[in-house]
Each structure stands twice: as structure tokens, then as C-alpha cells.
Amino acid sequence: VKSPPKSGAFQERNSTPTKFRKFYERGDFPVAIEHDAKGNKIAWKVEIEKLDYHHYLPLFFEGLCEIQHPYDFLARQGIHDMLEHGGAKVLPVVPQLIIPIKKALNIRNRKVICTTLKALLHLVVSADLVGEALIYSKNHKFLKIPILIFVIYVVPSSVNIGDGIDYGQQKRENIGDLINDTLEELERRGGPDAFINIKYMVPTYESCVQN
């Protein structure tokens, strides 16, 4: 009797070049890579606070799917810079970020998932009411998007390595830990019914507020 085929839940999906890459190659982004003794960083050609967030932030989130340099670096750092300086500009753009987040998580590339979860965690804490906007997005579209990713990765979040060192934890590259951190922040900032909604979609989640 043949054993059943693998479900493929962890199998990496193929990704296609993104609009982010196309825009960057055309020179449509006001950014450049600057090299110094500390490494690479983004040099913005305009003040970040003056950017059109409805236009640029979704494009940078779409760049989370990229795994090649310099696109992955530019997307990752650009998101964190914009969230750091966005303030009230971030909240109105949240609905436009759900599809890019879904695409990035569904690639099932571990590096992309970690990068996306870090961006998501930063998004949740970047401005008031963002957590609630994600929890109560229309028809709970946000919570439905990462549910499979959350469920298949959150269980094996801790690995018993004895006296060894888990370098993934030091670099914040443990997917299970990042998922737990994200869900906890969503509970804290997602309004009074956040836990109920998270628990319904992720049954293994335990409250960090009520316990």
C-alpha cells in the first residue's frame, strides 16, 4: 500500500516579478541604495512624510515577494522607513495592503514569510487603530488570509536543540515566534473583541492579555 502523497503545505510556490521590481527598474521610485561602513541603506530623494502613501506603500508591500537583491532589500527597508514616518497616513492605506500580504505569505518561502511577518508586526504598531482595521477588515479578509500559514507554522515554533544555540531566534527568523508576536500585538491593539476573532481563526492561540 502506497503512503498518501505529501500535502505540499510547506512547499515553496513560484513567484513572478512584481510591479515593485518594474517600477524600480523604470526609476519611478524616489530611492537609491547608499553604501557606507555600516552596510547598505536607502537614500530617499524626497522627504518620506511627503510621499503619497496610497500609491507607494502598497507597491513596497508587493515587493515583499522579491527574493533577489536589491529588490528584497529595498522593499523591506522602504516599508519600515515609511511605517516609521507615516503616522496618520498609514491607517487609510491598510485595505490596500491585504492582497500584497496574502501574496507574500502564500509563496511559502521561509525568508519571505519572516520578512512579511516583521513588516506586518511593524504595521500593527505603526499607528493608532491599525490593529482594529486589520481585525475588522471587511468580512475578516485579513484574518482569513494568513490562517493556513499561521496554523501550519505556529505549532512547531519551538525546537528542542538541547544545549545548542538557535541562531534563527537571535535573528528573529523563527516563524512560529514571529506569528505569536504578531497575534499578541493584534490582540493588544485590535479592540475589545480582538481575542475572540483571533481565537476563532487560530484555535491554538492563547490570550496574552487575559492570562
Side-chain angles (χ1 to χ4, degrees), residues 1 8 12 38 40 46 50 53 79-80 95 109 127 132 137 147 158-160 162 165-166 169 202 204:
V1 179
E12 186 174 335
K38 297 181 180 179
N40 297 333
V46 298
K50 295 182 179 180
Y53 270 58
I79 287 171
H80 290 300
N109 176 291
E132 291 190 38
S137 58
I147 179 59
S158 299
V159 180
N160 185 358
I165 299 174
D166 185 354
Q169 288 186 333
V202 188
T204 58

Side-chain angles (χ1 to χ4, degrees), residues 52-62 78-79 82-83 89-90 93 97 123:
D52 180 353
Y53 270 58
H54 280 282
H55 176 67
Y56 286 109
L57 193 57
L59 285 171
F60 274 82
F61 264 83
E62 185 164 331
I79 287 171
M82 292 184 72
L83 294 178
K89 283 188 170 185
V90 175
V93 189
L97 307 180
L123 173 65

Side-chain angles (χ1 to χ4, degrees), residues 54-118:
H54 280 282
H55 176 67
Y56 286 109
L57 193 57
L59 285 171
F60 274 82
F61 264 83
E62 185 164 331
L64 289 170
C65 293
E66 296 286 352
I67 57 177
Q68 293 183 2
H69 186 79
Y71 313 108
D72 57 344
F73 166 75
L74 285 165
R76 179 179 70 250
Q77 192 58 50
I79 287 171
H80 290 300
D81 286 353
M82 292 184 72
L83 294 178
E84 190 70 29
H85 296 85
K89 283 188 170 185
V90 175
L91 180 60
V93 189
V94 168
Q96 295 175 251
L97 307 180
I98 292 176
I99 290 178
I101 291 171
K102 174 183 178 179
K103 287 181 178 179
L105 291 174
N106 278 339
I107 289 178
R108 309 293 171 85
N109 176 291
R110 295 187 69 88
K111 181 179 178 182
V112 170
I113 292 174
C114 287
T115 301
T116 304
L117 289 170
K118 291 174 186 177

Side-chain angles (χ1 to χ4, degrees), residues 11-205:
Q11 184 175 350
E12 186 174 335
R13 273 68 164 164
N14 293 328
S15 60
T16 56
T18 64
K19 284 193 295 184
F20 174 84
R21 180 185 295 210
K22 179 181 178 182
F23 274 61
Y24 175 72
E25 291 178 341
R26 282 196 327 209
D28 291 343
F29 289 140
V31 297
I33 297 181
E34 190 174 274
H35 308 278
D36 61 19
K38 297 181 180 179
N40 297 333
K41 65 179 182 179
I42 286 185
W44 291 89
K45 300 176 183 178
V46 298
E47 293 181 32
I48 300 175
E49 293 84 352
K50 295 182 179 180
L51 291 171
D52 180 353
Y53 270 58
H54 280 282
H55 176 67
Y56 286 109
L57 193 57
L59 285 171
F60 274 82
F61 264 83
E62 185 164 331
L64 289 170
C65 293
E66 296 286 352
I67 57 177
Q68 293 183 2
H69 186 79
Y71 313 108
D72 57 344
F73 166 75
L74 285 165
R76 179 179 70 250
Q77 192 58 50
I79 287 171
H80 290 300
D81 286 353
M82 292 184 72
L83 294 178
E84 190 70 29
H85 296 85
K89 283 188 170 185
V90 175
L91 180 60
V93 189
V94 168
Q96 295 175 251
L97 307 180
I98 292 176
I99 290 178
I101 291 171
K102 174 183 178 179
K103 287 181 178 179
L105 291 174
N106 278 339
I107 289 178
R108 309 293 171 85
N109 176 291
R110 295 187 69 88
K111 181 179 178 182
V112 170
I113 292 174
C114 287
T115 301
T116 304
L117 289 170
K118 291 174 186 177
L120 179 54
L121 186 56
H122 193 171
L123 173 65
V124 173
V125 302
S126 64
D128 292 339
L129 303 179
V130 168
E132 291 190 38
L134 289 168
I135 291 288
Y136 299 106
S137 58
K138 188 175 181 181
N139 297 324
H140 297 292
K141 283 184 178 179
F142 168 72
L143 282 177
K144 289 178 181 177
I145 284 169
I147 179 59
L148 179 58
I149 298 292
F150 283 10
V151 169
I152 65 178
Y153 281 105
V154 77
V155 176
S157 62
S158 299
V159 180
N160 185 358
I161 57 174
D163 295 330
I165 299 174
D166 185 354
Y167 292 101
Q169 288 186 333
Q170 291 184 349
K171 298 177 182 178
R172 295 191 71 219
E173 292 177 355
N174 183 297
I175 295 177
D177 289 346
L178 285 169
I179 289 172
N180 281 324
D181 291 346
T182 303
L183 292 177
E184 287 179 359
E185 210 57 61
L186 277 169
E187 183 187 359
R188 293 188 187 98
R189 298 170 181 266
D193 296 326
F195 172 68
I196 295 173
N197 285 285
I198 294 172
K199 185 71 172 178
Y200 177 75
M201 302 303 294
V202 188
T204 58
Y205 178 71

